[in-house]
Amino acid sequence: VDPRYKKISDLLIDYSMGHFENRIELSEKLDETDAFISGINMLGEELKTTTISRNYFNNIFNSVSDMIFVLTDGGMIENVNRTALEKLDKKYSDLIGLPIDQLLVEGEKPLFEFIKKKLGNSNQGVEAEKKFKTSPTDYIPASCSVNFLHREVKGELRYLVTVRDLSKQKEMENLVIRTIVDTLENERIRVAKDLHDSLGQQLSAVKFYLETLINITEDKKISPILTKSGDALKAAQAELREICFDLMPMTLETYGLVESVHELCRKIGHKNLLEFIILPDKHFPLLNKQLEIAIFRIVQEFINNSIKHGRATRITLKFNFGRDKDEVKIELKDDGKGFDKNKLYSGSGTGMGLQNVRSRIRSYDGTIKINSLPGKGTEYGILIPLNKTTLQR
Ligand SMILES: Nc1ncnc2c1ncn2[C@@H]1O[C@H](COP(=O)(O)OP(=O)(O)OP(=O)(O)O)[C@@H](O)[C@H]1O
Ligand SMILES: [Mg+2]
């Protein structure tokens, strides 16, 4: 037997073990067996380049910092990169064959349905923001970019989903919003205190002098003027108290949110034939001052809207402390005209009120659900998670 066959068989064994760099030298005969050998050498060359490019691709696939999913035509995960396994804390075998929508937080709108609907026949790609579960209680906010993954085999449709973790970015955004809002609120506190301490004191002094004058004067002409001045002065003092309260209710600092909401409702109820029902949880805690101010402003905006737009006659405000003491739940409800939510962001002239409410809540990682129907009243459901800082007074 030609000894070259032994070499061929050894080489094929090498190839099967992944050693694609080995070759066999041709003999001087240059016969058919040599032609066969040169074919096998070429095969080695071919295998080497495809394997290198496959490894090259795998390296890229696994080392990008975004999560990458390949989805089948039915939305099942067919392949996934290492970053996704690490971020979601899952094993490869847990994810393969799983519908991608099962990775989302409960209550999120399905991603795959959206892809199917939006991607259509275009090659533009679609974007969506979704929350990916990392544990039963935690998630990653992420932006997903989706496009078709073109395959050589016709008819086999695949989708490539790139998911970027937005946690850091969101944290940063929240911090910026909170800093801006806190700066504004601190400035209001300062102005309210200044007004109360300086102007308030001086008005009190003037009142004292006026009252002394009223008591000692016997002049019939001057006396009624003095009395009128006294009334005007009392009105000015009341006005000043209103302004200070609007700027910053002092009760908030001393007695906390629920008490200052009571005070707010008393003031408003007097002026506007309006019934308030305030239902605070017995155990509703004192919260961090900035968070209490934020919630107070939200309640203020809700009441203003109920009066201004809803012409409500009854407003119910519920303050609940979550079962596990890790969130506050606030339900605000009116019996007013209600509105069509679909028209909220269409047309011009929409106010800043609800946008401010949303950004305040978002900056604390909270959520808000607004329910409203024309003729059926309006309801806000607000959840704000608590942590060490927000529970600290
Ligand atoms: N309680 C409510 N009852 C009826 N309509 C409401 C109620 N709350 C909000 N709306 C509707 O939603 C719209 C947006 O409210 P938003 O508070 O954002 O703006 P605004 O009150 O018009 O202006 P701003 O708050 O800046 O003074 C309102 O214009 C109104 O049509
Ligand atoms: Mg408003």
Side-chain angles (χ1 to χ4, degrees):
V1 187
D2 191 330
R4 287 177 295 177
Y5 284 109
K6 169 81 170 82
K7 285 188 183 164
I8 291 171
S9 123
D10 287 347
L11 184 67
L12 288 176
I13 289 170
D14 284 349
Y15 284 179
S16 74
M17 297 198 319
H19 306 302
F20 304 124
E21 60 290 342
N22 298 353
R23 303 283 176 269
I24 303 173
E25 262 182 55
L26 300 183
S27 72
E28 273 153 25
K29 294 183 197 158
L30 293 177
D31 56 4
E32 274 183 23
T33 307
D34 276 327
F36 185 47
I37 287 173
S38 90
I40 291 176
N41 282 342
M42 266 151 65
L43 174 70
E45 198 57 39
E46 188 76 9
L47 284 169
K48 196 170 122 190
T49 42
T50 50
T51 313
I52 287 175
S53 66
R54 195 182 65 209
N55 288 342
Y56 184 67
F57 163 78
N58 275 341
N59 272 333
I60 296 174
F61 186 65
N62 281 319
S63 37
V64 282
S65 56
D66 289 348
M67 301 189 256
I68 299 177
F69 300 89
V70 177
L71 303 187
T72 65
D73 198 14
M76 311 292 177
I77 298 169
E78 187 183 62
N79 202 352
V80 56
N81 71 344
R82 193 156 47 209
T83 309
L85 303 181
E86 283 165 9
K87 290 223 181 238
L88 302 176
D89 194 21
K90 286 271 190 316
K91 289 199 296 263
Y92 186 79
S93 57
D94 294 340
L95 292 183
I96 301 307
L98 198 74
I100 183 135
D101 284 325
Q102 284 196 14
L103 298 179
L104 304 182
V105 165
E106 280 83 24
E108 277 280 88
K109 291 203 184 102
L111 173 65
F112 190 63
E113 216 178 280
F114 174 80
I115 297 176
K116 277 268 183 186
K117 205 162 81 194
K118 288 280 153 119
L119 202 53
N121 292 323
S122 82
N123 268 343
Q124 292 293 315
V126 292
E127 308 265 334
E129 279 205 11
K130 294 284 167 208
K131 294 174 181 153
F132 284 75
K133 259 188 300 196
T134 50
S135 78
T137 53
D138 220 353
Y139 68 85
I140 297 176
S143 94
C144 315
S145 321
V146 190
N147 214 334
F148 292 116
L149 181 67
H150 290 285
R151 312 197 99 212
E152 291 95 281
V153 190
K154 269 206 178 147
E156 257 194 87
L157 199 54
R158 291 291 183 274
Y159 299 92
L160 185 71
V161 184
T162 319
V163 180
R164 172 156 297 173
D165 182 349
L166 297 180
S167 326
K168 286 263 151 33
Q169 192 184 327
K170 293 261 169 199
E171 239 171 68
M172 210 52 216
E173 282 171 13
N174 286 351
L175 198 69
V176 171
I177 293 175
R178 252 149 77 176
T179 313
I180 294 172
V181 172
D182 288 353
T183 313
L184 265 170
E185 295 289 5
N186 287 338
E187 191 55 19
R188 296 177 97 160
I189 294 178
R190 194 187 62 77
V191 175
K193 282 194 171 142
D194 276 3
L195 276 179
H196 174 265
D197 295 349
S198 63
L199 200 55
Q201 294 293 324
Q202 285 175 18
L203 287 182
S204 298
V206 174
K207 190 167 165 240
F208 172 75
Y209 299 135
L210 249 181
E211 276 166 1
T212 319
L213 257 183
I214 290 173
N215 284 336
I216 57 171
T217 190
E218 277 162 12
D219 188 319
K220 291 265 163 0
K221 269 190 194 151
I222 294 178
S223 172
I225 300 174
L226 287 180
T227 314
K228 272 195 184 143
S229 312
D231 291 346
L233 190 60
K234 267 185 216 146
Q237 281 182 310
E239 193 81 12
L240 180 65
R241 273 197 299 275
E242 288 286 296
I243 293 173
C244 288
F245 182 82
D246 267 356
L247 279 169
M248 183 59 57
M250 292 301 155
T251 28
L252 200 64
E253 214 154 320
T254 11
Y255 301 106
L257 175 68
V258 174
E259 195 41 52
S260 40
V261 168
H262 271 107
E263 193 180 356
L264 174 70
C265 295
R266 269 198 303 276
K267 282 177 190 283
I268 296 177
H270 278 313
K271 280 189 269 175
N272 306 273
L273 285 181
L274 195 57
E275 185 191 356
F276 284 99
I277 300 171
I278 307 170
L279 302 169
D281 195 321
K282 270 208 298 276
H283 307 289
F284 197 84
L286 281 179
L287 304 167
N288 167 274
K289 196 171 83 194
Q290 302 298 352
L291 177 57
E292 291 208 335
I293 294 175
I295 300 176
F296 185 80
R297 297 289 178 219
I298 292 168
V299 174
Q300 258 181 330
E301 177 61 30
F302 178 79
I303 296 175
N304 282 342
N305 280 351
S306 298
I307 296 173
K308 191 165 72 170
H309 308 296
R311 310 243 170 268
T313 60
R314 172 189 282 193
I315 294 178
T316 312
L317 311 168
K318 275 191 205 167
F319 298 87
N320 289 316
F321 192 25
R323 243 180 307 140
D324 299 322
K325 316 246 176 278
D326 59 356
E327 62 183 18
V328 286
K329 197 166 138 196
I330 295 152
E331 284 165 19
L332 314 173
K333 206 164 154 183
D334 74 27
D335 65 347
K337 286 197 237 164
F339 64 101
D340 184 354
K341 278 205 298 180
N342 296 323
K343 297 201 181 126
L344 246 192
Y345 299 108
S346 60
S348 57
T350 43
M352 288 300 295
L354 280 178
Q355 286 183 46
N356 287 343
V357 166
R358 285 209 166 87
S359 62
R360 278 188 200 266
I361 293 174
R362 210 180 314 127
S363 76
Y364 282 96
D365 268 333
T367 56
I368 176 166
K369 279 208 181 100
I370 299 181
N371 272 325
S372 192
L373 276 177
K376 295 265 186 239
T378 303
E379 199 176 338
Y380 297 179
I382 298 163
L383 273 181
I384 298 177
L386 297 176
N387 54 38
K388 275 204 198 94
T389 346
T390 44
L391 264 170
Q392 204 171 56
R393 185 68 176 168

